[in-house]
Amino acid sequence: MGLESLGHNFFTGQLEDLVKWARRNSVFPATFGLACCAIEMMATGAAHYDLARFGMEVFRASPRQADLMIVAGRVSQKMAPVLRQVYDQMVEPKWVISMGVCASSGGMFNNYAIVQGVDQIVPVDVYVPGCPPQPETLVHGIITLHEQIRTGELTRRRAGGEPLVVQPELQSAHQS
Amino acid sequence: MSDTDARENLLEPPGDAGPEVAPVPDVVAAAVIERFPGSQFHSSHGQAVVYAARDELGAIAAFLRDEQQFTMCLDITAVDHLLDGVRHCPEGVEPERFEVVANLVSHARNRRLRVICQVPDADPRVPTVTDTYPGTNHAEREVYDMYGITFEGHPDLTRILMPDDWDGHPLRKDDPPARVPVTFKGDPSPR
């Protein structure tokens, strides 16, 4: 970015960088706490671990206003079409974090009632393992998602596209 | 108004036994067997159980509620004995694959009773008890959903736990238990 002539109150930058900066610094999660992982998600949003420092403290109840769906908890067979419908109602750009082992792979529930991994229903960007994951683990997953947003394509086509491979460089993250 | 013999030890031999048939130690079970001959009494760990013919389940429920003061049906559930190596049934009871179990409570008399019906696999039908105990509506739907046993006369026999278009009855022993075949190191036999 061109910060040399700040005295004139202008700075320049690439449009893509500015758009990605805006997108990753105000990701609004949708309320999709299903089970025990929801408690850890609430703890992450609470004072000690604090999602507000990422601009994420507002959990939007309406999927139209949400950017990120954190699937926190086990998804039952009956809940699966509801999950898909909420995901479809979200507006692009949207991301999905699969929080906990039950959302990532069915967890300890390898049975008739639980969907074996929410990626059977929606495309997932970041998997956060744990039962439940510590709030720090979820924050790590969120930072990984921010890295994906920072280094990924602006307009992304999921269907038929190649998977995004991201090496989060935490030492150079959060440029501003 | 509780029965004085509510705490009787059912395993004690009765006082004066009749010449051929020993009287049933539980008063209510005796009344059920007298009204519905063909039922069998069994004492399960000190609890009174009546094994009845499945066509009479609705009539037995009505009899127990109206004449024996069993105002509460705790649960209707089922058992699948497909994988039992040895089947334990009291004599006089024809064992089938499924059992439908009704647990009944009389608060006035401080008694409990279990009624068990054998249900064959080829024809899994049982009369409903929802007209006697309306609270068993969901319990019978759950038995239908999990075992595939239909309750004749039920007002709305649809799936309650699984999605409406689910294929199969999950708690049957021949329904596949695991969705993902999982093996662990040193696992002797695959499921």
Side-chain angles (χ1 to χ4, degrees):
Chain A
M1 294 197 180
L3 292 173
E4 297 84 12
S5 47
L6 200 54
H8 295 276
N9 295 332
F10 283 100
F11 68 88
T12 59
Q14 286 195 349
L15 179 66
E16 287 84 0
D17 290 339
L18 295 175
V19 170
K20 287 180 201 174
W21 172 85
R23 281 181 178 176
R24 72 174 180 273
N25 279 326
S26 71
V27 183
F28 287 173
T31 55
F32 223 83
L34 296 172
C36 353
C37 275
I39 306 294
E40 290 294 328
M41 189 168 66
M42 292 184 231
T44 315
H48 190 87
Y49 292 102
D50 199 18
L51 283 179
R53 54 192 160 127
F54 304 111
M56 291 176 67
E57 80 276 12
V58 273
F59 281 76
R60 312 304 299 185
S62 164
R64 300 283 190 205
Q65 300 168 6
D67 305 307
L68 170 68
M69 186 162 76
I70 304 181
V71 184
R74 48 188 181 269
V75 183
S76 64
Q77 299 284 351
K78 258 186 164 177
M79 190 62 180
V82 176
L83 181 95
R84 181 71 210 187
Q85 189 161 19
V86 170
Y87 175 77
D88 289 338
Q89 288 174 346
M90 288 168 67
V91 185
E92 289 283 351
K94 54 188 173 184
W95 298 274
V96 175
I97 287 181
S98 161
M99 177 183 179
V101 291
C102 289
S104 304
S105 71
M108 73 171 105
F109 302 109
N110 187 3
N111 58 19
Y112 56 87
I114 302 296
V115 173
Q116 301 295 300
V118 78
D119 50 6
Q120 302 204 357
I121 303 166
V122 295
V124 175
D125 293 285
V126 177
Y127 297 86
V128 182
C131 187
Q134 259 224 336
E136 293 170 4
T137 310
L138 179 61
V139 169
H140 179 85
I142 288 170
I143 292 177
T144 307
L145 180 68
H146 289 176
E147 278 304 300
Q148 284 190 8
I149 299 173
R150 185 177 73 83
T151 59
E153 298 296 318
L154 208 61
T155 55
R156 193 179 34 174
R157 290 291 170 260
R158 290 184 197 273
E162 288 171 357
L164 226 54
V165 177
V166 171
Q167 307 299 329
E169 299 154 10
L170 293 178
Q171 57 270 20
S172 66
H174 297 287
Q175 291 162 359
S176 96
Chain B
M1 260 189 77
S2 58
D3 278 326
T4 52
D5 58 353
R7 293 286 177 246
E8 71 199 69
N9 185 357
L10 295 174
L11 298 178
E12 281 176 358
D16 45 347
E20 292 114 19
V21 177
V24 175
D26 185 76
V27 175
V28 179
V32 172
I33 292 170
E34 183 191 350
R35 177 68 68 92
F36 301 93
S39 312
Q40 296 285 326
F41 170 80
H42 177 68
S43 169
S44 166
H45 304 279
Q47 297 174 1
V49 182
V50 170
Y51 284 80
R54 64 169 165 145
D55 296 326
E56 297 175 334
L57 181 63
I60 290 177
F63 166 71
L64 286 169
R65 185 196 64 173
D66 298 332
E67 299 183 39
Q68 297 293 327
Q69 301 167 304
F70 276 76
T71 48
M72 182 169 174
C73 178
L74 286 180
D75 192 18
I76 304 285
T77 183
V79 187
D80 184 357
H81 290 283
L82 182 69
L83 298 180
D84 283 12
V86 178
R87 183 69 193 278
H88 295 287
C89 246
E91 7 174 305
V93 179
E94 214 22 74
E96 300 281 1
R97 175 180 174 181
F98 295 112
E99 284 181 343
V100 169
V101 181
N103 284 291
L104 302 155
V105 169
S106 170
H107 295 289
R109 303 175 67 179
N110 198 10
R111 308 189 80 90
R112 289 181 176 232
L113 184 71
R114 198 176 311 137
V115 179
I116 299 184
C117 304
Q118 307 292 323
V119 179
D121 188 11
D123 180 31
R125 295 174 304 112
V126 174
T128 185
V129 299
T130 48
D131 39 7
T132 310
Y133 298 104
T136 55
N137 192 314
H138 286 198
E140 293 190 349
R141 281 177 67 187
E142 183 182 2
V143 172
Y144 165 69
D145 191 3
M146 294 287 114
Y147 291 93
I149 296 173
T150 53
F151 288 84
E152 299 165 319
H154 192 278
D156 176 33
L157 197 66
T158 52
R159 289 187 179 269
I160 190 170
L161 295 174
M162 303 308 294
D164 292 329
D165 53 353
W166 191 259
D167 201 20
H169 297 281
L171 283 184
R172 290 189 169 195
K173 297 295 185 193
D174 49 1
D175 204 84
R179 297 293 125 180
V180 177
V182 177
T183 53
F184 299 94
K185 213 189 291 187
D187 198 5
S189 61
R191 251 176 164 253

